[in-house]
Amino acid sequence: MADIFDSFELKHLKLPNRVVVAPMTRMQCGTEGIPTDAVIAYYRRFAEGGAGLIITEGVYTDTTASKGYFGEPGIVNGAQEAGWKKVADAVHSAGGLVGMQLFHTGRCSHSKIIGRTPLAPSAVPAKGMHASAGGPMEMPEAMTEAQIEESLQGFTDSSRKAKASGMDCVEIHGAHGYLIHQFYYSDSNTRTDRWGGMIENRIRFPVELVRRVRAAVGPDYPVLYRFSEFRVDDLKYSHPETLDIFRALVPALEKAGVDVFHVSTYDAFKPFHDTGKPLLAHVREMTKKPLVGVGKLGEDPARARELVRSGLAELAALGKPMLANADWANRVRTGQPLTPFEPMMMARL
């Protein structure tokens, strides 16, 4: 049985343990989207604290419509790339490894953020209020072929920049109701062209995206892919097609070049709907690639250890517990007590 403190090999990377810092939106990079000294120190602390792999917050991939929050970092120009190189250098100097999460918010953006109408697969708005811009979510504009191509190119170019900045891997954010996720489901993707309709068409966008990213970063560079059922605009979202979508999506993404699947849930062990087993167990049946599990794993370290020991996932990702304990891995390894998470911790780095 593996343990969270066993090493793990991911292509050319050798992770010292199976503890992953989950990507968390922090919105601390100012108007230019460049990591500040405080952001650099924030990521360095996780490396000093013993985490096996750090995945950055979501980073926007084009200047047209991908950005979704004030203060969100980008990877679309030389200044941003240089800023992320400082992050990578700081993490590496502390003995850590870091990967960049690339994402496009799609209909979850806002005209106050990007200066234009948000783009989405179809003119179907997200629910609720915008967390950063305030006010209700806006009606998005259905993407044209040219806009789809531009967004694909944005991911491709950004993956090259991420690699050039010294990032050890990239993670494609296909979860939580953002652009890629919006393509999966028939209630957010009502297109009748090659990007919509049957499931095989609705997953065409992420598959093509991964194929291009793989070509851009080369065969030996790790590419992770994160997906979920729930959405940021509807935390209780469920859909009867979900498992059918994932059964088509996961093998297609594996063929396109994904090395690791990051399965995002609120509770890694909770049965998925009425199936009697967690979503991770379903995904395990769809692929032999390594899995990252996340969801209520950090408050009680025994849960993270059980996740790995049981074989449900190879890697255990932690979010809020890491904000309370940047040195979570070192504390658990040495039997030290953990600091409980408090909501005010989200407001500061």
Side-chain angles (χ1 to χ4, degrees):
M1 294 186 296
D3 184 78
I4 57 170
F5 294 114
D6 290 342
S7 62
F8 181 77
E9 293 188 5
L10 176 56
K11 291 204 165 177
H12 69 284
L13 300 179
K14 186 170 184 178
L15 280 60
N17 57 60
R18 313 295 184 93
V19 179
V20 177
V21 179
M24 291 175 279
T25 300
R26 303 313 308 276
M27 299 180 285
Q28 300 288 323
C29 290
T31 58
E32 300 301 317
I34 300 171
T36 63
D37 289 345
V39 172
I40 294 167
Y42 164 78
Y43 285 112
R44 181 186 174 92
R45 284 197 297 274
F46 295 128
E48 293 172 336
L53 175 66
I54 303 159
I55 303 178
T56 74
E57 62 205 284
V59 181
Y60 66 83
T61 53
D62 65 56
T63 58
T64 300
S66 61
K67 184 177 178 180
Y69 302 99
F70 291 121
E72 181 186 330
I75 185 68
V76 299
N77 58 46
Q80 292 171 346
E81 183 181 327
W84 283 112
K85 185 177 188 304
K86 293 179 180 178
V87 172
D89 288 347
V91 169
H92 294 156
S93 69
L97 297 169
V98 59
M100 180 180 289
Q101 188 187 72
L102 304 174
F103 88 143
H104 187 307
T105 54
R107 70 180 186 177
C108 292
S109 187
H110 197 281
S111 59
K112 290 181 180 179
I113 308 291
I114 57 177
R116 58 151 297 138
T117 302
L119 297 178
S122 301
V124 181
K127 295 182 178 181
M129 308 291 284
H130 195 281
S132 185
M137 293 289 198
E138 297 176 317
M139 176 67 73
E141 175 185 320
M143 299 171 80
T144 64
E145 280 281 346
Q147 289 166 334
I148 289 175
E149 176 59 33
E150 182 180 11
S151 66
L152 289 169
Q153 191 61 49
F155 275 97
T156 305
D157 293 342
S158 292
S159 66
R160 288 195 190 97
K161 287 183 171 66
K163 182 179 180 182
S165 75
M167 291 287 145
D168 298 296
C169 58
V170 291
E171 177 175 276
I172 307 302
H173 195 347
H176 303 169
Y178 295 119
L179 179 70
I180 298 173
H181 195 177
Q182 291 159 26
F183 271 93
Y184 304 165
Y185 288 97
S186 57
D187 54 2
S188 54
N189 180 356
T190 62
R191 302 178 73 97
T192 57
D193 60 5
R194 66 192 182 111
W195 304 103
M198 60 195 302
I199 289 175
E200 288 74 11
N201 284 351
R202 282 184 267 136
I203 65 170
R204 186 186 304 275
F205 182 83
V207 172
E208 176 63 14
L209 189 159
V210 168
R211 187 187 66 79
R212 294 190 188 196
V213 167
R214 170 53 68 203
V217 299
D220 299 323
Y221 189 75
V223 175
L224 290 72
Y225 189 94
R226 194 178 205 198
F227 62 98
S228 70
E229 181 180 49
F230 75 89
R231 312 184 314 200
V232 291
D233 65 307
D234 186 354
L235 300 181
K236 295 183 179 180
Y237 180 79
S238 65
H239 195 286
E241 278 191 319
T242 291
L243 285 180
D244 289 336
I245 291 170
F246 291 170
R247 288 188 185 105
L249 178 69
V250 170
L253 291 176
E254 180 178 336
K255 184 177 180 180
V258 169
D259 298 303
V260 177
F261 289 98
H262 188 168
V263 184
S264 182
T265 57
Y266 289 122
D267 185 331
F269 290 99
K270 183 179 180 180
F272 186 71
H273 298 305
D274 60 353
T275 64
K277 56 186 179 182
L279 182 56
L280 276 166
H282 289 284
V283 178
R284 179 65 77 194
E285 296 171 355
M286 302 172 194
T287 180
K288 294 182 179 179
K289 292 291 185 180
L291 304 181
V292 181
V294 66
K296 300 187 185 303
L297 298 176
E299 295 85 352
D300 179 0
R303 286 171 58 86
R305 303 190 95 136
E306 176 59 22
L307 182 87
V308 174
R309 286 175 175 172
S310 68
L312 200 57
E314 282 76 15
L315 302 165
L318 315 174
K320 292 176 181 177
M322 283 288 183
L323 297 184
N325 307 271
D327 57 348
W328 188 95
N330 287 344
R331 288 193 183 203
V332 172
R333 183 188 288 110
T334 57
Q336 298 178 56
L338 297 172
T339 300
F341 171 79
E342 297 180 8
M344 66 179 184
M345 294 174 179
M346 291 294 296
R348 63 175 187 266
L349 288 176

